[in-house]
């Protein structure tokens, strides 16, 4: 893992300007239409605590804590949700299933989400079944799938009850 200075000094893919979280906050302040979904990749409680504490500290120091209203905090497990939510309850969460796997226990996970104010779940598109639409609707939690780059597949998923698809480039 590079130091902060080393990371910020090297263009990503020799083309893109890297940003710190502070840079992202300043950009979000300048452009009020930016909303983000976090994708921190780590689930270990110690690492998650360090990451979100640093994010909260940066926002507080810059006086930009209100920008968390435009962030969706992605969690990968019930434990990660509890760790993050303990640090400070965020307005928007999404529970991503790919880190824990998916064992058809959708009803239980959606119940957890509803009880904890998690607005949506996301899963690989190939895990989606049209029968899940009723379960999701009854729970009041939206279901999203990723990554779909074929128009027909995206349209079929949306017709079957998926709330939205993640895509690299499709415009429907």
């Amino acid at each position: 893992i590079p130091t902060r200075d080393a990371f910020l000094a090297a263009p990503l893919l020799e083309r893109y300007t890297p940003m710190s979280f502070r840079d992202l906050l300043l950009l979000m302040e300048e452009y009020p239409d930016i909303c983000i979904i976090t994708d921190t990749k780590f689930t270990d409680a110690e690492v998650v605590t360090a990451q979100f504490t640093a994010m909260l500290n940066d926002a507080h120091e810059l006086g930009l804590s209100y920008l968390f209203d435009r962030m969706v905090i992605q969690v990968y497990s019930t434990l990660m949700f509890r760790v993050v939510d303990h640090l400070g309850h965020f307005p928007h969460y999404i529970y991503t299933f790919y880190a824990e796997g998916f064992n058809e226990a959708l009803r239980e996970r959606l119940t957890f989400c509803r009880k904890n104010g998690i607005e949506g779940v996301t899963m690989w598109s190939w895990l989606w079944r049209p029968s899940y639409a009723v379960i999701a609707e009854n729970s009041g939690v939206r279901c999203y799938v990723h990554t779909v780059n074929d128009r027909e597949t995206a349209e079929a998923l949306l017709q079957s009850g998926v709330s939205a698809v993640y895509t690299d480039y499709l415009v429907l």
Side-chain angles (χ1 to χ4, degrees):
I1 298 175
T3 65
R4 181 182 185 279
D5 290 339
F7 172 77
L8 293 174
L12 300 171
L13 302 175
E14 299 178 8
R15 179 177 175 189
Y16 301 105
T17 303
M19 297 176 66
S20 68
F21 187 71
R22 293 173 84 90
D23 295 333
L24 175 63
L25 291 170
L26 294 170
L27 188 71
M28 289 178 72
E29 182 183 34
E30 185 175 346
Y31 296 94
D33 58 339
I34 294 175
C35 298
I36 67 156
I37 298 176
T38 62
D39 193 2
T40 59
K41 300 295 186 203
F42 294 94
T43 59
D44 177 73
E46 204 169 286
V47 175
V48 169
T49 298
Q51 288 175 322
F52 281 89
T53 298
M55 291 164 62
L56 288 162
N57 288 343
D58 283 350
H60 180 73
E61 287 172 17
L62 294 171
L64 299 175
S65 296
Y66 72 92
L67 292 175
F68 283 106
D69 290 351
R70 295 185 1 232
M71 295 183 199
V72 178
I73 307 302
Q74 183 170 230
V75 296
Y76 310 108
S77 68
T78 56
L79 174 62
M80 182 181 179
F81 170 78
R82 288 187 177 103
V83 169
V84 172
D85 199 60
H86 177 75
L87 295 172
H89 183 74
F90 296 92
H92 308 286
Y93 290 93
I94 191 166
Y95 187 157
T96 299
F97 292 163
Y98 66 76
E100 285 185 320
F102 186 72
N103 61 6
E104 304 291 328
L106 182 65
R107 191 177 317 276
E108 291 80 14
R109 290 192 186 179
L110 293 177
T111 298
F112 174 84
C113 291
R114 183 184 66 245
K115 287 180 180 176
N116 290 283
I118 299 172
E119 299 164 309
V121 298
T122 189
M123 64 187 80
W124 294 110
S125 61
W126 51 268
L127 290 172
W128 176 257
R129 303 288 177 268
S131 60
Y132 296 166
V134 173
I135 299 168
E137 185 177 326
N138 290 338
S139 73
V141 177
R142 294 178 181 261
C143 291
Y144 307 99
V145 297
H146 56 84
T147 300
V148 181
N149 291 322
D150 174 76
R151 182 183 195 92
E152 289 179 14
T153 302
E155 289 173 348
L157 286 162
L158 293 167
Q159 288 293 321
S160 73
V162 168
S163 296
V165 298
Y166 289 46
T167 182
D168 294 319
Y169 48 78
L170 283 179
V171 176
L172 299 178

